[in-house]
Amino acid sequence: MQDTALAADINAIARLKGSFRLRSGTMADTYFDKYRFESEPALLRRIAQAMVDRIPAGTQTLAGLELGGVPLATAMSLHCGLPAVFVRKIAKEYGTCKAVEGRDVAGLNVAIVEDVISTGGAVVQAAQMLQDAGATLTAVICAIWRPAAPPAIAGLAVPVLPVLTSRDLG
């Protein structure tokens, strides 16, 4: 169920108008600046709680994607008590040289946590890294799903569970 008050508050603080290049390379005239809603404690708390409500049963760990998924996964972890890991865009070349930071995810049921999804490219890449580390994916949970199409990411056999869609945000 859509939370109209949450949608209005995200729109008020994070909706920008102009010309913006998305990660996919496409241009958009509306952009949701995730850092504006992720850096406001009261709003972050509400978004995280709405995301926690979407965690599938049996999920054992939350995987926040670098960079915007990290504060969301952390806030969700504080709400629900599930541990969080953090997925880098590329494995670092020093120290542990890992792409998935935090606890070992081998054999665990993991939900990917992302902020705003436009095409799902970053999610597909992170999903592969998590599966390579031995995780089983349960879902992708995001704050905002931008496409007009129903939430689904080609190549992933798990549900995409957004808190809000572009339609909810007007």
Side-chain angles (χ1 to χ4, degrees), residues 88-99:
R88 295 176 175 276
K89 292 176 182 160
I90 57 171
K92 63 183 183 176
E93 296 179 3
Y94 57 90
T96 61
C97 299
K98 292 182 177 181

Side-chain angles (χ1 to χ4, degrees), residues 19-89:
S19 181
F20 304 94
R21 182 176 309 281
L22 304 178
R23 180 183 190 275
S24 65
T26 60
M27 297 300 292
D29 60 4
T30 300
Y31 184 76
F32 290 94
D33 186 345
K34 59 195 167 223
Y35 302 113
R36 290 185 177 203
F37 65 75
E38 290 180 353
S39 62
E40 292 294 328
L43 191 52
L44 177 60
R45 183 178 301 113
R46 290 169 54 208
I47 294 167
Q49 182 58 62
M51 293 175 81
V52 162
D53 293 344
R54 286 158 175 76
I55 297 172
T59 298
Q60 298 167 292
T61 300
L62 305 170
L65 305 193
E66 181 185 356
L67 176 67
V70 170
L72 290 167
T74 301
M76 290 170 69
S77 177
L78 289 169
H79 271 285
C80 69
L82 288 176
V85 298
F86 311 109
V87 184
R88 295 176 175 276
K89 292 176 182 160

Side-chain angles (χ1 to χ4, degrees), residues 89-161:
K89 292 176 182 160
I90 57 171
K92 63 183 183 176
E93 296 179 3
Y94 57 90
T96 61
C97 299
K98 292 182 177 181
V100 180
E101 298 285 359
R103 71 185 341 219
D104 182 7
V105 295
L108 297 179
N109 296 323
V110 176
I112 292 175
V113 175
E114 183 60 306
D115 47 20
V116 179
I117 297 177
S118 296
T119 64
V123 173
V124 170
Q125 180 181 4
Q128 187 61 58
M129 290 179 189
L130 287 160
Q131 290 169 327
D132 289 348
T136 299
L137 302 180
T138 61
V140 175
I141 304 168
C142 65
I144 299 172
W145 173 261
R146 278 187 58 95
I153 298 173
L156 289 184
V158 295
V160 177
L161 308 170

